[in-house]
Amino acid sequence: TIAVCRVNRLLDPLNARQLTREELSVAMSADTDETANSVFVNFNQDSSRLFNTTQLNFSSLPELIRVESSEGSKVVEVDADESTEAFIKKIQIAFSFDDLFGFKVFKDRKHSVQIPLLERKTVKQFGLTNGERVYVVITKSATDGHNNTDSNANNNNIAAERNHKVVHINDHIEDLTNSIANGAERRTAEDEVDVLLYGQSGVIERPPDPTACKHGANAKCVHCTSLEPYDETYLKDHNIKHMSFHTYLKKLTTGIDKGKFAMLENISCKIKSGCAGHAPWPAAICTKCQPSAITLNRQVYRHVDNINFENPSIVENFINYWRTTGYQRIGYLWGYYSAHKDVPLGIKATVVAIYEPPQESSRDFVKLVAPDKKNEDVEFIASQLGLQRIGWVFTDLITEDLQKGTVKHLRNMTTHFLSAQECIMAGFLQNNHPNRCRYSPDSHFGSKFVTVCITGDMENAVHMEGYQVSNQCMALVRDNCLLPTKDASELGYVRESSVDQYVPDVFYKDKDGYGNEVQRIARPLPIEYLLVDVPISTPMEPKYSFNPLKHLKPFPIENRLLEGHIQDFNALSTYLRQFNGQQFLEAMSDFHLLIYLTTMDALPLKETMKPLLEAIKTSNPAMANEWARSDQWLTIEQLMLANSSAPSTSSSHAATADMSSSTVASAMEGPKWSCSYCTFENDGNKSTCEMCSLPKET
């Protein structure tokens, strides 16, 4: 008997059937590679002498290479002698990538060995054999225009649905996305703190117990042996609610396989593209392209273990807007990440400044205004100072007793900690600031972007609460599956499938009236399943990266259209008048002042700011004083003198002096006057009181 088997090129095993004599004759006489590559002939002992097996070209069978990417997995046929250029072009066709150079192909999961686009190097030379896997990393928008359009449409739908009383995004969601994610998209390398923690074991050393340890100094027992960073008893004893992300990675990569099969895959709620076996959704769907159902679980790890504000004045200056107007406010946190010593392999986010973007606000809502024209300049200043956008902060403060200075306690276990709308906003921002991770085939997993809410506590005092949303929430927000509810802030709602979008089933586990654990559909969904709380602290000894002279008034904050908060030349002159000629570095060490100098209309200094920013970063007074003698800063001093109302003799004296900041201050100094309302001593060139903003009595 002669059994001829045809190869299923996907996943099914060999389908064997017995051919007729006529089919066998055609197969044996075929000269094409296609027939030869798809037919196997097995001979038994009696029939092997009847045929010459050399008629079939077994060596020309193609290699089947499995390609994994963020768009899914596919199988590509390639010959062993085929060039890597042809192989990568086949990958481009299989995934419908527009740009051949918009993605990279790696041989290993850690993306350390790249397969280059070469015409004279073969697949065999790179060790790719039948059944091997390669990994694709998309470096830019390599997907087709249809997918990009769908993504933008999803983002617009998210913005249109957001209408909570505190946080609201306006309709310009595309401009806002490009604005806030501009700096994050440029960060393609891992953060320094991640590289540092990857090289640490995280093992917790324990000293010998004098009562339990009965061995010598060079020995260990069960009472003093080292613990792994993910030891549950240690975490519970030290009140660590969530293990750190790098501890979670250590747990995955510990064992016999040493993490060989550990892979962090990002959740996708979209139908996989490229399924050619049927018509696209909503006409049909299959198990290959259908996204899996999601069961929500409380995340056991967190990407940031502590939020640290360098000093209390950072928050106080931010809250002053609410104290002045009674309106809510949103700001972006700028700072850096570092190792957190109190948590094994933990990460601490340190905040050094808060930037307030253009926004409209009232007592009950905040609406961001896009695009932010200053965003690129803020990114420039922060990058030169070694800072990055690490989170966002918003206020939800309602006065309870004006005389006592108390606020209402609005957020607690009986109401909500974060509303569904705020969770969607947090997930939106975390998706725009992904965390680079070497264990993910997408090169990113989760986010270090944090959320800080300033509200009232149980004692009706102002306090801060820190959060992140889980990776599951990020996926639901990214794929436009999560909506807020209109009548309950603490509940979200998973969108139902429609002809325009397929939404997988989302479940969560709860207890019924009898105490039994039951599975429920996430319509509606308690937001607590999506939250990861992050503690907030301030150091015992405050640090001042900006505004080191605490007794002096800082420069006005941007985008505040209030009397006494406007950034202009008068504000610049008033601010510089507080410093003497030896304090130029301290005077320039103000984040909001640097933004004003970079973006002011009269003479933007962005092209000349790098030496000054380097001096501030390295705390170098000599470099700062050298920059103060530049032509650009001398021009600014002349403009300040021209804008002031000082007598002409003072201007003449200033022109012949050293042109330092102290000279400019003395040139603009006039007779002081005392406010009859608050007794504050004001400069003579002011017509209104700087403290109470009431007019000067004549």
Side-chain angles (χ1 to χ4, degrees), residues 447-501:
S447 174
K448 297 191 190 76
F449 204 81
V450 298
T451 298
V452 176
C453 174
I454 302 178
T455 184
D457 61 6
M458 297 179 62
E459 299 177 355
N460 301 109
V462 176
H463 86 128
M464 296 181 292
E465 298 174 349
Y467 300 98
Q468 282 192 302
V469 295
S470 64
N471 293 4
Q472 291 178 327
C473 179
M474 291 174 59
L476 293 175
V477 173
R478 183 191 63 241
D479 297 333
N480 193 23
C481 298
L482 185 61
L483 301 174
T485 55
K486 294 182 179 180
D487 54 350
S489 301
E490 71 277 7
L491 299 178
Y493 193 88
V494 175
R495 189 189 297 271
E496 299 182 14
S497 297
S498 63
V499 294
D500 299 322
Q501 178 186 3

Side-chain angles (χ1 to χ4, degrees), residues 9-28:
R9 299 186 185 278
L10 297 178
L11 300 176
D12 295 338
L14 299 178
N15 296 322
R17 70 181 181 88
Q18 187 167 346
L19 299 183
T20 63
R21 188 177 298 275
E22 290 77 15
E23 291 176 332
L24 182 59
S25 177
V26 173
M28 296 297 295

Side-chain angles (χ1 to χ4, degrees), residues 146-188:
H146 176 73
N147 293 336
N148 292 337
T149 303
D150 291 344
S151 177
N152 292 335
N154 291 341
N155 288 337
N156 287 327
N157 290 337
I158 295 175
E161 309 259 353
R162 299 178 177 180
N163 190 24
H164 181 61
K165 74 163 192 173
V166 174
V167 181
H168 175 76
I169 304 179
N170 66 350
D171 295 334
H172 303 287
I173 189 68
E174 183 176 357
D175 295 334
L176 179 63
T177 304
N178 295 334
S179 174
I180 64 178
N182 185 30
E185 290 178 352
R186 291 200 298 263
R187 296 199 307 269
T188 58

Side-chain angles (χ1 to χ4, degrees), residues 321-337:
Y321 182 87
W322 170 79
R323 292 194 176 108
T324 305
T325 64
Y327 292 170
Q328 310 303 334
R329 198 68 174 166
I330 285 180
Y332 291 127
L333 306 176
W334 289 91
Y336 57 90
Y337 298 108

Side-chain angles (χ1 to χ4, degrees), residues 64-129:
L64 301 180
I65 307 299
R66 187 177 181 86
V67 183
E68 294 187 0
S69 75
S70 59
E71 301 294 326
S73 300
K74 297 183 182 297
V75 176
V76 176
E77 294 183 1
V78 62
D79 294 332
D81 297 329
E82 196 168 349
S83 66
T84 59
E85 180 183 12
F87 173 50
I88 294 177
K89 287 182 178 179
K90 288 184 178 180
I91 295 177
Q92 178 191 6
I93 296 173
F95 287 89
S96 301
F97 291 153
D98 288 339
D99 190 357
L100 184 62
F101 299 95
F103 63 96
K104 295 180 180 180
V105 182
F106 295 87
K107 187 178 178 182
D108 59 330
R109 194 185 304 276
K110 295 183 178 180
H111 306 156
S112 59
V113 180
Q114 183 181 355
I115 302 176
L117 189 71
L118 300 176
E119 184 179 358
R120 297 185 180 182
K121 292 289 185 179
T122 64
V123 172
K124 185 177 181 180
Q125 290 176 323
F126 279 88
L128 296 180
T129 59

Side-chain angles (χ1 to χ4, degrees), residues 110-303:
K110 295 183 178 180
H111 306 156
S112 59
V113 180
Q114 183 181 355
I115 302 176
L117 189 71
L118 300 176
E119 184 179 358
R120 297 185 180 182
K121 292 289 185 179
T122 64
V123 172
K124 185 177 181 180
Q125 290 176 323
F126 279 88
L128 296 180
T129 59
N130 187 44
E132 289 282 346
R133 291 191 181 190
V134 296
Y135 304 89
V136 171
V137 175
I138 301 175
T139 57
K140 60 180 180 178
S141 182
T143 54
D144 55 15
H146 176 73
N147 293 336
N148 292 337
T149 303
D150 291 344
S151 177
N152 292 335
N154 291 341
N155 288 337
N156 287 327
N157 290 337
I158 295 175
E161 309 259 353
R162 299 178 177 180
N163 190 24
H164 181 61
K165 74 163 192 173
V166 174
V167 181
H168 175 76
I169 304 179
N170 66 350
D171 295 334
H172 303 287
I173 189 68
E174 183 176 357
D175 295 334
L176 179 63
T177 304
N178 295 334
S179 174
I180 64 178
N182 185 30
E185 290 178 352
R186 291 200 298 263
R187 296 199 307 269
T188 58
E190 294 175 335
D191 290 330
E192 293 182 2
V193 64
D194 290 320
V195 177
L196 173 66
L197 294 177
Y198 276 129
Q200 297 182 5
S201 64
V203 174
I204 304 169
E205 299 292 344
R206 293 191 297 173
D209 189 345
T211 59
C213 297
K214 305 299 181 182
H215 51 75
N218 297 327
K220 292 283 186 180
C221 67
V222 294
H223 302 287
C224 62
T225 186
S226 302
L227 299 177
E228 295 293 340
Y230 46 83
D231 184 80
E232 295 183 0
T233 304
Y234 178 86
L235 297 177
K236 184 178 181 180
D237 292 342
H238 288 76
N239 198 25
I240 301 175
K241 186 176 180 180
H242 302 273
M243 70 176 72
S244 66
F245 178 63
H246 282 269
T247 297
Y248 178 71
L249 294 180
K250 291 293 183 183
K251 187 175 182 179
L252 291 180
T253 56
T254 300
I256 300 176
D257 59 355
K258 298 300 182 182
K260 180 180 180 181
F261 303 103
M263 183 173 61
L264 302 176
E265 293 187 359
N266 291 291
I267 302 172
S268 177
C269 303
K270 291 183 177 181
I271 296 177
K272 297 179 181 179
S273 59
C275 192
H278 55 78
W281 174 268
I285 194 172
C286 68
T287 56
K288 296 179 181 178
C289 61
Q290 180 182 9
S292 302
I294 300 174
T295 300
L296 297 177
N297 297 308
R298 288 184 172 87
Q299 193 164 284
V300 298
Y301 61 88
R302 55 190 173 199
H303 292 272

